[in-house]
Amino acid sequence: MALTQVIPGFGDVKLPILSYVQPFSFTNQDGRKVTNKDLEGKVYVAEYFFTTCRGICPIMNSHMRTVYDKFKNESEFVILSHTCDPETDSVAQIKKYADSMAVNTARWWFVTGPKDSLYMTARNSYLLDDPKNNFQNIDDQFIHTQYFALVDRKGQVRKIVDGLKQEEVDELNKYIGVLLNEGN
């Protein structure tokens, strides 16, 4: 099933179902457990980053900030930033990072957890990395992806965009609006 909606100046928007988010459990910046159940009924964007990154992550989170700024007052929208370096990104470290971003952590969640769970979710739920990489030793792996996954209220991945390209992030904002209006 693909949702089609006409957006003025944007044409027909078709958002197919790309995958389904599998159950997960991580810990947020406040030390609270976060599961896929906490996101039921919400539209969200998932990304992977790490707090000590000096490469693509600052650009991605600068672009993600534009998404946050547009939807920060929308109670049915969340940004979910997963660390790809849980050995470094403890709860205290991601709390410090979240504080440095000066965002409302009710709308932008930063999570950490077991590396294998984080990576499996990236690959098998969000489609942000090749699932074949699951067969490598987890200690030898490092996901460093610039892609964002847009997830609908039912936990279905509907769009993947390049978080380094502002024009794709601008389109993402329109897709978020489509999903927020879905069913209304």
Side-chain angles (χ1 to χ4, degrees), residues 69-83:
D69 287 341
K70 183 167 180 72
F71 295 101
K72 66 184 174 187
N73 296 319
E74 177 57 61
S75 64
E76 297 176 347
F77 177 75
V78 173
I79 296 169
L80 185 60
S81 293
H82 307 71
T83 183

Side-chain angles (χ1 to χ4, degrees), residues 21-59:
V21 176
Q22 301 303 308
F24 65 78
S25 178
F26 300 119
T27 305
N28 77 1
Q29 70 283 338
D30 298 318
R32 188 177 72 81
K33 183 171 107 172
V34 172
T35 73
N36 53 298
K37 298 278 188 197
D38 294 308
L39 292 157
E40 286 179 356
K42 296 190 183 299
V43 173
Y44 72 98
V45 177
E47 72 157 343
Y48 280 74
F49 83 109
F50 59 109
T51 62
T52 58
C53 178
R54 300 293 175 242
I56 64 174
C57 300
I59 299 165

Side-chain angles (χ1 to χ4, degrees), residues 1-5 10 12-21 125-127 148-161 175 178-179 182:
M1 175 187 123
L3 171 70
T4 302
Q5 184 173 345
F10 197 60
D12 285 349
V13 175
K14 293 179 180 74
L15 295 173
I17 297 169
L18 303 175
S19 72
Y20 299 87
V21 176
S125 291
Y126 301 128
L127 308 179
F148 301 160
L150 175 60
V151 182
D152 69 16
R153 297 174 194 273
K154 296 177 184 175
Q156 303 169 130
V157 176
R158 302 292 289 274
K159 184 76 178 167
I160 296 172
V161 301
Y175 299 136
V178 169
L179 292 182
E182 188 174 50

Side-chain angles (χ1 to χ4, degrees), residues 7 27 47 94-95 101 108 121 137 141 176 181:
I7 298 177
T27 305
E47 72 157 343
I94 61 174
K95 173 70 170 162
M101 293 287 291
W108 192 338
T121 301
N137 181 333
Q141 298 179 39
I176 292 166
N181 289 320

